[in-house]
Amino acid sequence: MIWEWGLLFVAAFFAGALNSVAGGGSFLTLPALVLVGVPPVAANATGTLALLPGYIAGAWALRHEVKNLKHVSIKLLTITSVVGGVIGALLLLWTPSAVFDVLIPWLLLAATLLFILAPRLVSKRRSGPVGPVVTAAAILAVAVYGGYFNGGLGILLLAVFGVLGVGSLHVANCLKNVVSALLTAIAVIIYIAGGLIYWPQAIWMMVAGTLGGYVGARASRHVPVQYLRWGIIAIGLLMTAFFFMRYGV
C-alpha cells in the first residue's frame, strides 16, 4: 500500500537526519517496519541495514581524527567490534520471535534512558588511558549490544570512550562512527545470511536515510541540539509505551 511505503520513507528520512546530528534513528525505523507488518526480529535487522550507509559516511567524514588517537589501538577496536557484532547478530538470529516481542519495549526503554543520561555519561572522561584488556572487554560488550539491538549505540560508545581515557570528544566521535560501521556491517552480513532482511523495504529506506542524513547535517547548523535531544527522547518514550501496549507487557 502507498501509505506503508510513504511511512517507511518518512521514518527512514528522519532517522537518517537524527543520526547525523544526535542519534536515535532506530526509534523511528523499528516501529515503522513493525507497523507495516514486518516481524519484529526482521524489522530490527532491516532497520539496521537501512541505517548502515549513514554509519559508513560518518566514519569516512571523520577519518582524519584517527591521526590524533594516542592510547587506543585501532587494531584492537577493529577485532573487538567485529567479534562483538558477530555475537550480537547471532544472538538476534537465535532469539525466538515471541521472546524478542517481549524484549522490544524494554530495549527501547533502555535506549531512551541512555539518551536522557547522555550528557552525564559522555562528560565523564578519564585523564589517562586504561589497559588493553579493559578496553577490549568494554568495546566487546557494547559491540554485542550493537549487533543485537542498535538503539542508543552511539551514546554508549561515546560514554565508553570517555571512560577509557579518550580525551577529545571529536576523536571519540570518530571512533564511535568507526566501531558502529564495523559492527553494523558484520552484523548485517549475518542478518542477510540468516534471511532476516526484507530487501524492498531495506533499499527504499536506505535511499531515504541517506537523503535524510545529508539534509540533517546541513540543517543541524540552525537547530539547537538540545531541542533535538528532547524530541528524540519524546519519540523514544512514545514508542516504548506503544510497544508495551502492543505486546501487553
Side-chain angles (χ1 to χ4, degrees):
M1 297 176 65
I2 295 178
W3 75 267
E4 293 179 344
W5 292 102
L7 174 63
L8 293 179
F9 188 92
V10 171
F13 179 89
F14 283 103
L18 289 176
N19 276 353
S20 70
V21 181
S26 57
F27 288 145
L28 297 174
T29 55
L30 176 60
L33 284 160
V34 171
L35 283 172
V36 301
V38 178
V41 172
N44 186 45
T46 301
T48 300
L49 171 58
L51 297 176
L52 177 58
Y55 289 134
I56 295 174
W60 179 257
L62 295 175
R63 64 191 184 281
H64 298 299
E65 293 291 343
V66 176
K67 297 177 181 178
N68 300 319
L69 186 61
K70 297 179 180 178
H71 305 301
V72 180
S73 165
I74 287 294
K75 182 178 180 180
L76 180 64
L77 286 183
T78 301
I79 294 172
T80 50
S81 298
V82 170
V83 171
V86 168
I87 295 172
L90 289 175
L91 286 174
L92 179 66
L93 204 63
W94 296 333
T95 300
S97 296
V99 174
F100 193 74
D101 290 351
V102 175
L103 288 177
I104 281 180
W106 295 104
L107 290 169
L108 286 171
L109 179 60
T112 304
L113 291 176
L114 282 173
F115 272 88
I116 294 174
L117 297 173
R120 290 185 179 182
L121 292 173
V122 176
S123 66
K124 292 182 178 180
R125 316 192 74 77
R126 288 175 56 93
S127 57
V130 298
V133 174
V134 175
T135 298
I139 298 302
L140 180 65
V142 178
V144 170
Y145 170 84
Y148 188 82
F149 184 72
N150 224 248
L153 175 63
I155 296 299
L156 266 178
L157 284 170
L158 285 177
V160 165
F161 284 126
V163 173
L164 292 178
V166 179
S168 167
L169 190 57
H170 291 295
V171 175
N173 193 42
C174 170
L175 294 177
K176 176 206 74 175
N177 288 331
V178 169
V179 171
S180 297
L182 285 170
L183 73 88
T184 301
I186 195 67
V188 162
I189 292 172
I190 293 175
Y191 298 158
I192 293 170
L196 292 180
I197 303 298
Y198 277 53
W199 283 104
Q201 291 86 341
I203 294 171
W204 179 244
M205 295 178 80
M206 287 172 74
V207 173
T210 302
L211 289 173
Y214 177 79
V215 173
R218 296 292 295 270
S220 63
R221 302 175 183 176
H222 310 290
V223 180
V225 174
Q226 186 65 19
Y227 293 160
L228 286 171
R229 283 196 68 255
W230 285 111
I232 294 167
I233 291 169
I235 293 170
L237 291 174
L238 287 172
M239 293 301 101
T240 299
F242 168 78
F243 278 102
F244 270 122
M245 292 185 292
R246 182 183 179 94
Y247 295 111
V249 180

